[in-house]
Amino acid sequence: MKPLGQILVDRELLTPQQLQDAVDEHNETGRSLGRVLIQRGIVTEKDLVAALSTQIGMEFVDLTDSEIDGRATTMVTEALMRRHIVIPIRVTDGKLIVATSDPSNVVALDDVRTVTGMDVEAVVATKDDILDAIGRYGSMTEDIESVASDLAGDDDEYTDLSEIKAATEEAPIVRFVNLLISQAVADGASDIHIEPGERELRVRYRIDGVLHEVMRSPRTIQNGVISRLKIMAELDIAERRIPQDGRIGLTVSGKKIDLRVSSLPTVYGEKIVMRILDKTSVMLTLDDLGFLEHNNNRFREAYTKPYGMILVTGPTGSGKSTTLYATLNVLNQPGVNIVTTEDPVEYQLPGISQVQVNNKVGLTFASALRSILRQDPDIVLVGEMRDRETAQIGVEAALTGHLVLTTLHTNDAPSAVTRLTEMGIEPFLVGSAIDCVLAQRLARRVCKKCVEMKRPEAFVLKEAGFDDDIVAERPEIPHAVGCSSCSNTGYRGRMAVHEVMTVTEDIERLAVARASSEEIERVAVEQGMRTLREDGLSKVLLGRTTIEEIGRVII
């Protein structure tokens, strides 16, 4: 076994001379070498515990930078966690992974094994980090049990609205709901799904575009939790037969967060989905979105023109709104009048007039857009081209000296031209109005902490679509592994993959001739457009994502 001091020297956390001085003090005073190093300010407790874990051959986990699975923490009571200073952090391959500051404490691990009935594997973390995590997650089990007992017997329907409102104000429910939201924000989730079942309530978070189950709770807490959320979102708690939409504004860990709340009646009760909107993300620049230089230059040429239409296309959840907001951040100058019409207004931007669509009172995209054009705008953002009328007004605005930014649901950039034609817009107007189409997808980034660079077989590169030169060269590319920091997915965070099609005279002629999207794509590629797959594979070569992830998001 390598000495502790030598491990710290190998990690360049202290010099041989500092080690010798510390050893001398250790011999004189009898204090442990680790305590001497910490008191001298040479190493931190975290550095020391990481070195000790290496010395005994165990994994060290930094809990301040790791995702803790809420399901795992509910398997053990807070009292047991505090008694032994341990916390379950995840379940992997049927084993419960438990963080401990004292791996020699076999009694603690035996107690956890007895309570959970699972095989237990220990990892090492600092005592302070474990106590902090227990403070954040440890009360979840007690809250669930408290809420469940309070609401026992009210499994199906509340009969008295005053009772339901009183129940939702009680501390257990309030803590439980707040914990769900704060944990989702801490985990970087984009959505929270609260789904009633026949016997239990399931909670899932969408993280990096993929749903992860967080916990299953007794069905008896269902009405209290859902009603609490509906009250926070100012929805009608007495109405359970129709869908409702609302909004919650919160500050979580110093961040201003908007929650868009949607309720949907299902067989077993109302399902709640909350979209988490982090207001700090609205200040993103186009550079933050992962544009490569080639696409960035082509897109910049389009949005710096004084008029024309820019379409951003892609499926729901592909980051279209974020891209448009980032573009508006660039264009938002004191001498420019920018007006938007959106459904909903996701982020409120300073210096920009934003109109919320309200179909109930007749304020549709089309009617709002007509009024906006009477407001002397320079730049107009239309949330979505949903119908022929909106598209027609938008096209005419682009042809009469306005820069129009909008979104459309198509699979790629060339399809946007044919889609507008199918909506009933005259082909010659489509070709003249559109200046640029940006198609995009969101792909997960590889986790920087566990990524491995591997040299794949030539046939793997060939099947992925790489050029023959790349196939012959067989460069090292990222391989997703999985660690505690990324919940063993191998990915952490997301980036956009782009396809920028500039509408040239040749493409304009094809639009007028009602050419197919395949013909338009062929000409666009000849004129310098890089397809979504090509952009994605470029980002694989840059070490940002994997072949498997590009294959998942791009057909």
Side-chain angles (χ1 to χ4, degrees):
M1 183 185 294
K2 187 179 285 190
L4 175 65
Q6 190 57 50
I7 293 173
L8 292 167
V9 170
D10 291 345
R11 295 185 175 185
E12 300 181 351
L13 294 171
L14 73 164
T15 64
Q17 184 58 52
Q18 288 174 319
L19 174 60
Q20 186 57 53
D21 293 344
V23 169
D24 292 341
E25 184 176 336
H26 158 68
N27 292 333
E28 290 173 11
T29 63
R31 288 200 302 270
S32 70
L33 178 62
R35 187 52 50 197
V36 170
L37 290 169
I38 289 174
Q39 288 177 346
R40 287 186 169 212
I42 298 173
V43 298
T44 64
E45 184 182 359
K46 195 165 289 184
D47 293 333
L48 184 66
V49 173
L52 283 167
S53 67
T54 301
Q55 188 182 37
I56 61 177
M58 294 182 70
E59 180 188 354
F60 172 74
V61 176
D62 183 353
L63 294 183
T64 61
D65 195 31
S66 300
E67 184 178 305
I68 296 177
D69 189 339
R71 259 183 319 170
T73 62
T74 61
M75 295 180 179
V76 178
T77 64
E78 183 178 3
L80 189 148
M81 287 190 273
R82 289 195 180 278
R83 183 163 71 248
H84 294 304
I85 311 182
V86 297
I87 183 167
I89 58 173
R90 65 178 181 274
V91 178
T92 303
D93 298 329
K95 288 185 178 180
L96 183 64
I97 310 300
V98 178
T100 175
S101 62
D102 182 9
S104 63
N105 186 355
V106 293
V107 175
L109 300 180
D110 283 344
D111 282 356
V112 173
R113 191 177 291 110
T114 302
V115 168
T116 61
M118 297 182 68
D119 289 338
V120 173
E121 182 179 313
V123 295
V124 183
T126 68
K127 180 179 178 180
D128 288 345
D129 284 355
I130 292 174
L131 289 173
D132 182 58
I134 292 172
R136 285 186 288 133
Y137 296 97
S139 62
M140 185 179 280
T141 304
E142 281 75 8
D143 284 349
I144 291 173
E145 291 172 354
S146 176
V147 173
S149 62
D150 287 349
L151 301 180
D154 274 338
D155 194 25
D156 295 319
E157 295 291 332
Y158 283 96
T159 54
D160 188 341
L161 285 182
S162 62
E163 287 180 21
I164 186 173
K165 195 151 189 175
T168 61
E169 296 299 328
E170 292 178 4
I173 278 193
V174 173
R175 284 202 310 273
F176 180 71
V177 169
N178 289 349
L179 189 58
L180 280 184
I181 295 171
S182 60
Q183 185 182 337
V185 173
D187 291 349
S190 60
D191 301 85
I192 303 171
H193 291 239
I194 299 173
E195 303 164 322
E198 184 178 4
R199 295 184 178 85
E200 55 195 1
L201 183 71
R202 180 169 70 161
V203 179
R204 294 191 290 173
Y205 295 160
R206 186 177 294 280
I207 302 171
D208 294 336
V210 179
L211 280 169
H212 299 269
E213 186 173 306
V214 178
M215 71 176 73
R216 289 177 181 264
S217 304
R219 180 180 163 89
T220 46
I221 76 168
Q222 173 181 316
N223 286 332
V225 171
I226 290 173
S227 297
R228 169 66 183 168
L229 289 168
K230 289 177 71 175
I231 287 171
M232 291 172 71
E234 298 182 356
L235 302 181
D236 182 359
I237 61 173
E239 180 55 78
R240 301 180 179 184
R241 300 164 299 172
I242 61 174
Q244 296 185 68
D245 295 303
R247 178 176 178 171
I248 302 172
L250 295 170
T251 300
V252 180
S253 302
K255 288 183 179 177
K256 287 190 175 180
I257 300 294
D258 263 356
L259 295 173
R260 292 299 160 84
V261 182
S262 171
S263 74
L264 181 71
T266 69
V267 173
Y268 297 114
E270 289 176 283
K271 173 178 176 176
I272 301 285
V273 175
M274 294 183 284
R275 167 65 56 90
I276 301 172
L277 300 173
D278 181 356
K279 290 187 176 181
T280 59
S281 67
V282 74
M283 300 315 292
L284 289 173
T285 66
L286 290 170
D287 292 336
D288 297 326
L289 302 181
F291 273 94
L292 297 182
E293 186 177 3
H294 174 80
N295 282 337
N296 199 7
N297 291 338
R298 287 168 69 91
F299 188 51
R300 187 187 298 113
E301 285 178 15
Y303 70 71
T304 51
K305 292 180 179 177
Y307 57 87
M309 178 180 284
I310 296 175
L311 285 167
V312 181
T313 75
T316 301
S318 60
K320 298 187 297 295
S321 296
T322 302
T323 298
L324 287 176
Y325 282 131
T327 307
L328 288 184
N329 282 334
V330 178
L331 298 172
N332 190 8
Q333 303 294 331
V336 178
N337 180 21
I338 302 176
V339 189
T340 76
T341 174
E342 306 167 61
D343 185 22
V345 175
E346 292 191 4
Y347 300 103
Q348 292 170 3
L349 301 171
I352 292 177
S353 303
Q354 295 172 270
V355 178
Q356 168 71 57
V357 167
N358 187 345
N359 291 316
K360 291 179 181 177
V361 297
L363 184 59
T364 62
F365 275 119
S367 62
L369 188 51
R370 275 198 207 91
S371 299
I372 286 170
L373 293 177
R374 293 194 288 270
Q375 292 279 316
D376 185 31
D378 299 297
I379 299 169
V380 179
L381 185 148
V382 183
E384 184 183 341
M385 290 289 185
R386 289 184 181 171
D387 52 60
R388 181 186 179 282
E389 188 179 9
T390 307
Q392 184 72 43
I393 300 168
V395 165
E396 290 172 0
L399 291 170
T400 54
H402 303 89
L403 181 62
V404 179
L405 309 175
T406 187
T407 69
L408 200 63
H409 288 281
T410 64
N411 289 326
D412 55 23
S415 300
V417 175
T418 53
R419 175 83 180 96
L420 284 177
T421 304
E422 289 165 1
M423 288 174 72
I425 309 301
E426 291 295 333
F428 72 90
L429 292 177
V430 172
S432 302
I434 300 177
D435 191 69
C436 170
V437 184
L438 166 65
Q440 68 179 53
R441 298 287 189 280
L442 289 180
R444 293 179 293 174
R445 291 180 182 269
V446 286
C447 174
K448 293 179 181 178
K449 292 196 173 181
C450 64
V451 62
E452 287 183 4
M453 301 301 288
K454 291 187 176 181
R455 198 178 300 278
E457 296 296 330
F459 77 89
V460 174
L461 296 171
K462 186 77 173 174
E463 287 180 358
F466 283 102
D467 294 339
D468 292 338
D469 293 343
I470 301 295
V471 173
E473 185 185 340
R474 288 183 59 215
E476 288 191 339
I477 60 173
H479 174 69
V481 178
C483 65
S484 58
S485 181
C486 60
S487 295
N488 288 300
T489 61
Y491 300 94
R492 190 175 177 92
R494 289 194 288 178
M495 63 176 186
V497 178
H498 304 100
E499 175 178 278
V500 182
M501 183 183 81
T502 303
V503 177
T504 61
E505 289 184 9
D506 291 334
I507 292 176
E508 204 173 319
R509 278 195 290 271
L510 289 173
V512 173
R514 296 180 181 267
S516 67
S517 56
E518 288 79 11
E519 292 177 80
I520 295 173
E521 180 179 7
R522 181 179 52 78
V523 173
V525 169
E526 288 173 0
Q527 296 181 345
M529 182 185 83
R530 291 182 183 170
T531 64
L532 283 166
R533 178 168 285 275
E534 287 172 341
D535 189 60
L537 294 179
S538 296
K539 286 166 181 172
V540 171
L541 293 177
L542 290 171
R544 300 180 186 177
T545 189
T546 64
I547 287 177
E548 293 78 13
E549 180 64 7
I550 295 302
R552 184 183 73 88
V553 299
I554 300 169
I555 299 171

